[in-house]
Amino acid sequence: MFLESLIIKDVFENNIRSVKFNPNGLNLIVGIPEKDGSTNNIGKTTLIRCIDFCLGGKIEQLYEDKEFKTINDDIFSFLAKKQPYFEIILSNSIQKNIKYKILRKIIYKHERKDFSIENQIWSNDTLIEGDFKQKLKEILFNNHDEKPTLRQLIPKFIRKDDQQINNVLKFLHQTTKKAIYEKIHLFLFDFKAKSLLSSKGELEHKLNHKIGIKKALTSRFNIIDLKQILEINKKELEKLYQQRDNFQIDNKYELEEKELEEIHLKLMEVKNNIFNNNLKKSILTKQLNELCNNIFDSDMQSLKLLYDEANFYLDNLHKSFNETVAFHNKMITNEINYLNNRLDKIETDTTQLLCEKNILYKQYSDLLEKLSKTGSLAEYTKLNEQIEKLIEEKGKNESLLNELEKVEKEINDINTKLSEIKEEINKNLHDFDNKLAIFNESFSRYSKILYDSDFFLSYDVEKDPICFYTKNVTGNEGSGKKQATISAFDLAYIDFINKANLNYPHFVAYDKIEVIDIEKIDKLFEISNSINGQFIVPILYDKIENFYEKYKNNIILELSDSNKFFRF
């Protein structure tokens, strides 16, 4: 996919800004200083943010400062008054006759004093129905999978914030998990078995849940502990049974004794069922408490700050804060209702079991009282009480052991499936390595031109998740050369998708290029003009004054205090 043009019009269809991109090579946005030398607030980087906005990014990036959380009142008022729509045209890098028009219209909600967005995607003259971001991902990456998401991929191609500019590979929020980066990098370099990654993620989620249950069950004893305790229970019961069997009792009371034993066995079964219910109730109550703690009803200020921070870095939160909270709370409430229903059923069953236990206790007590009238049955009664108590304890331990063994088996089964998936992933890595070699040929060549260092991309398959990294052939990671190295990486990636015939974005937009040395910028621009892709960068005129004429034809937009991006 190539960027063809960006058009911004107001609510009355009046043109605000129109930019036509060079189909290949360098695309410069130049900030021209006024007589006083100032280039502040002219919108030099706004074009990049508008591209990002068109590709599913947040509107807040156009008027909010992500670092200081301040609002640019002029731009906010401009957007509220003009209610502009943004139109970006994409051309297909493989099927040249197909063009896509992405439309995002800003609507200002006066009563709420914020914005909503209307989205449309057109393929030539056909409106594409469906989820906006999912359809965009299908267009930009020819992929229908849920993960990685569009907004997890876009920061690789549009580096506008510090986290994206200062990190070659870890271009998302600092809290992003390694498993997400594993999926992103395998996806970007066309790892074929993408469905394996999805299955791996689902199994890892299930595994963590089962491990949590096991941790709760083993708070006092583990499986080995319980097996040893049950052996002790067994030996003690055998001893007590032997004592009771040897106890002499009048023959005329043998029927009562047999009935007593039957009642006792039923009583133990009922007690065991009550214990199992209480165990289930304890686990469900723990899950319920955790869910209740996840409902957002207090400390909303801290939560809002967290949401806002995620907004700045991730740009993939397509719901408002209130909608996100409401949706989250609804999902949690549904699960809470489900758990409460299960708890109610367990409570009902337990109540019935308790009634049954009381009846059996009464029958048991009556028989014991009858037998006691034969004379001295105190010792016999004591034996039965000891046996009863030990059977109850044994039943609890057996129930707990059964639950633990069940969870342990589930954990082992999941780990077995995970091992099989990881083995399949490793088999597919041979083809992946060949693709990485294609990329590294360009990456090392461009980094050699820029810094006389051969950089390459590699990974550690022994780590889980798979860890990707960049190094040069001397083994160093090249600190102090980040900006130019990242640019070399992104330009090499465009080479790679051309050679691999991938219909991915053939453009990269890059902010804050001024931090690179002047001579390196010249070399970087030369490289960008040699690729079949678009390198979009804003830069100050002063930075390229010495070779301005050399790249004059690459300028797509010149901005100044008298020609600001939004023209106000």
Side-chain angles (χ1 to χ4, degrees):
M1 287 295 164
F2 290 84
L3 295 171
E4 193 166 292
S5 64
L6 171 72
I7 298 171
I8 304 172
K9 293 186 178 182
D10 67 17
V11 69
F12 302 110
E13 299 286 323
N14 297 313
N15 187 70
I16 296 173
R17 176 65 66 185
S18 179
V19 179
K20 185 171 179 61
F21 297 96
N22 294 327
N24 269 303
L26 184 62
N27 283 252
L28 282 177
I29 305 114
V30 180
I32 308 294
E34 297 293 318
K35 291 182 180 180
D36 61 359
S38 174
T39 56
N40 293 332
N41 301 318
I42 62 175
K44 184 170 58 70
T45 62
T46 304
L47 175 60
I48 292 179
R49 299 187 181 278
C50 288
I51 296 170
D52 185 73
F53 171 67
C54 288
L55 301 181
K58 285 291 181 181
I59 185 176
E60 285 83 358
Q61 64 183 300
L62 300 178
Y63 61 82
E64 280 187 14
D65 185 291
K66 70 181 188 308
E67 182 178 358
F68 300 105
K69 307 291 191 291
T70 55
I71 303 292
N72 186 315
D73 293 326
D74 292 335
I75 295 180
F76 187 95
S77 298
F78 162 79
L79 295 173
K81 181 180 179 181
K82 299 292 185 179
Q83 299 192 76
Y85 74 80
F86 293 69
E87 173 187 300
I88 201 164
I89 305 294
L90 299 170
S91 59
N92 195 303
S93 54
I94 295 176
Q95 297 173 287
K96 305 294 184 182
N97 60 325
I98 297 180
K99 295 185 186 297
Y100 296 97
K101 180 165 65 176
I102 316 300
L103 289 171
R104 301 202 79 190
K105 179 173 176 56
I106 295 175
I107 299 171
Y108 183 64
K109 301 291 186 180
H110 290 274
E111 66 280 4
R112 288 169 24 191
K113 295 185 179 180
D114 65 1
F115 301 99
S116 64
I117 311 295
E118 288 184 0
N119 305 304
Q120 286 185 1
I121 303 176
W122 294 78
S123 175
N124 291 347
D125 296 323
T126 304
L127 178 65
I128 299 176
E129 303 286 352
D131 180 79
F132 177 70
K133 290 183 181 178
Q134 186 59 35
K135 292 301 176 183
L136 259 183
K137 185 187 175 187
E138 291 172 16
I139 290 169
L140 288 169
F141 297 98
N142 192 30
N143 182 267
H144 303 268
D145 296 336
E146 184 180 351
K147 300 291 183 179
T149 67
L150 171 73
R151 296 306 304 173
Q152 287 172 339
L153 294 169
I154 288 298
K156 152 69 186 69
F157 301 90
I158 303 176
R159 297 182 183 264
K160 57 185 177 61
D161 299 327
D162 289 343
Q163 181 70 18
Q164 300 151 7
I165 293 167
N166 295 326
N167 294 277
V168 180
L169 298 171
K170 295 185 176 181
F171 40 74
L172 299 178
H173 190 265
Q174 295 97 319
T175 60
T176 302
K177 295 180 179 178
K178 293 178 182 178
I180 293 176
Y181 279 120
E182 177 193 58
K183 290 181 176 64
I184 289 172
H185 296 132
L186 288 173
F187 176 89
L188 287 174
F189 289 94
D190 197 31
F191 178 74
K192 288 300 183 185
K194 296 183 181 73
S195 61
L196 291 176
L197 299 179
S198 177
S199 299
K200 180 171 175 278
E202 291 174 5
L203 285 172
E204 287 170 341
H205 178 73
K206 289 181 181 178
L207 181 63
N208 289 333
H209 177 65
K210 296 298 179 183
I211 289 173
I213 293 176
K214 179 183 176 181
K215 185 178 179 181
L217 291 173
T218 55
S219 59
R220 290 184 63 216
F221 301 118
N222 60 31
I223 288 179
I224 296 174
D225 295 338
L226 289 169
K227 286 181 177 179
Q228 294 300 316
I229 291 170
L230 282 169
E231 281 298 316
I232 295 171
N233 292 157
K234 180 183 175 183
K235 296 295 183 184
E236 290 181 354
L237 271 174
E238 287 175 354
K239 182 180 176 182
L240 291 171
Y241 281 139
Q242 184 66 36
Q243 290 178 14
R244 190 174 69 175
D245 291 343
N246 294 332
F247 194 88
Q248 297 296 318
I249 192 167
D250 195 321
N251 289 337
K252 68 179 181 179
Y253 292 103
E254 283 183 359
L255 288 176
E256 284 83 353
E257 181 190 5
K258 187 177 180 182
E259 186 181 353
L260 185 71
E261 185 175 348
E262 290 175 354
I263 294 172
H264 180 262
L265 290 174
K266 289 180 183 178
L267 190 59
M268 291 304 99
E269 183 182 354
V270 169
K271 284 184 175 182
N272 193 46
N273 290 335
I274 291 172
F275 174 77
N276 287 337
N277 278 356
N278 287 335
L279 183 62
K280 292 175 185 176
K281 183 178 176 181
S282 175
I283 294 172
L284 290 174
T285 302
K286 185 175 184 298
Q287 292 176 335
L288 190 61
N289 289 336
E290 289 175 355
L291 286 171
C292 290
N293 289 336
N294 285 329
I295 290 183
F296 300 144
D297 55 5
S298 61
D299 196 19
M300 296 293 283
Q301 184 63 30
S302 298
L303 180 64
K304 184 65 167 66
L305 291 173
L306 182 63
Y307 177 89
D308 291 341
E309 182 180 3
N311 255 352
F312 278 119
Y313 287 104
L314 288 177
D315 287 340
N316 67 343
L317 304 174
H318 63 282
K319 295 290 186 182
S320 71
F321 173 72
N322 290 334
E323 288 172 329
T324 302
V325 170
F327 177 76
H328 171 86
N329 287 347
K330 182 180 178 182
M331 297 297 290
I332 295 295
T333 301
N334 288 341
E335 193 164 352
I336 287 173
N337 290 337
Y338 170 73
L339 292 179
N340 277 325
N341 289 335
R342 287 189 62 190
L343 282 169
D344 288 342
K345 187 177 184 310
I346 290 172
E347 196 68 45
T348 301
D349 291 344
T350 303
T351 301
Q352 292 175 351
L353 288 168
L354 287 170
C355 291
E356 187 177 351
K357 187 185 80 166
N358 290 335
I359 293 170
L360 290 169
Y361 258 135
K362 179 70 168 57
Q363 294 173 353
Y364 190 79
S365 298
D366 290 345
L367 271 175
L368 274 181
E369 184 180 356
K370 182 179 179 180
L371 286 170
S372 67
K373 292 177 182 178
T374 62
S376 178
L377 285 180
E379 186 178 347
Y380 184 81
T381 304
K382 183 179 179 181
L383 273 174
N384 278 316
E385 288 174 350
Q386 288 177 312
I387 290 171
E388 178 184 342
K389 183 177 180 181
L390 196 53
I391 288 176
E392 183 176 355
E393 182 182 341
K394 181 172 174 285
K396 291 179 180 179
N397 290 331
E398 285 174 337
S399 295
L400 189 55
L401 180 62
N402 289 337
E403 286 292 325
L404 267 173
E405 287 179 334
K406 179 184 174 184
V407 171
E408 188 73 28
K409 184 181 182 303
E410 290 171 338
I411 289 174
N412 290 337
D413 289 344
I414 293 172
N415 278 324
T416 298
K417 291 177 183 177
L418 272 174
S419 296
E420 292 170 357
I421 287 176
K422 289 172 185 177
E423 187 176 341
E424 286 298 313
I425 288 174
N426 288 338
K427 288 178 183 177
N428 283 273
L429 286 176
H430 177 69
D431 171 69
F432 183 76
D433 289 344
N434 293 334
K435 290 172 180 173
L436 217 58
I438 294 172
F439 167 80
N440 280 327
E441 189 279 325
S442 297
F443 186 31
S444 61
R445 176 159 47 89
Y446 293 160
S447 58
K448 184 81 170 176
I449 293 171
L450 289 168
Y451 280 108
D452 198 29
S453 296
D454 294 300
F455 280 84
F456 63 92
L457 173 68
S458 190
Y459 62 93
D460 187 350
V461 73
E462 297 299 323
K463 291 188 176 180
D464 187 21
I466 295 171
C467 177
F468 286 78
Y469 54 83
T470 59
K471 284 185 179 179
N472 63 39
V473 294
T474 64
N476 299 319
E477 295 194 17
S479 59
K481 306 173 183 177
K482 279 185 178 179
Q483 273 69 31
T485 305
I486 294 171
S487 298
F489 180 95
D490 290 339
L491 294 176
Y493 185 76
I494 291 177
D495 273 355
F496 165 74
I497 60 176
N498 279 311
K499 293 172 182 175
N501 201 31
L502 295 174
N503 193 23
Y504 288 4
H506 281 62
F507 56 84
V508 56
Y510 194 92
D511 194 10
K512 298 185 180 179
I513 202 167
E514 287 93 348
V515 298
I516 304 173
D517 294 338
I518 292 176
E519 64 272 16
K520 307 303 180 188
I521 290 179
D522 189 19
K523 290 180 180 179
L524 193 58
F525 285 1
E526 288 179 351
I527 294 171
S528 67
N529 272 334
S530 69
I531 64 168
N532 181 29
Q534 298 163 303
F535 187 52
I536 305 162
V537 290
I539 196 165
L540 293 171
Y541 170 80
D542 295 346
K543 192 72 176 180
I544 60 168
E545 185 175 5
N546 292 337
F547 45 85
Y548 176 82
E549 291 298 324
K550 180 179 178 180
Y551 298 106
K552 191 170 184 179
N553 292 334
N554 295 105
I555 297 173
I556 59 171
L557 183 63
E558 286 189 345
L559 299 170
S560 64
D561 194 57
S562 58
N563 181 31
K564 295 182 179 181
F565 186 83
F566 285 125
R567 300 188 188 279
F568 66 84

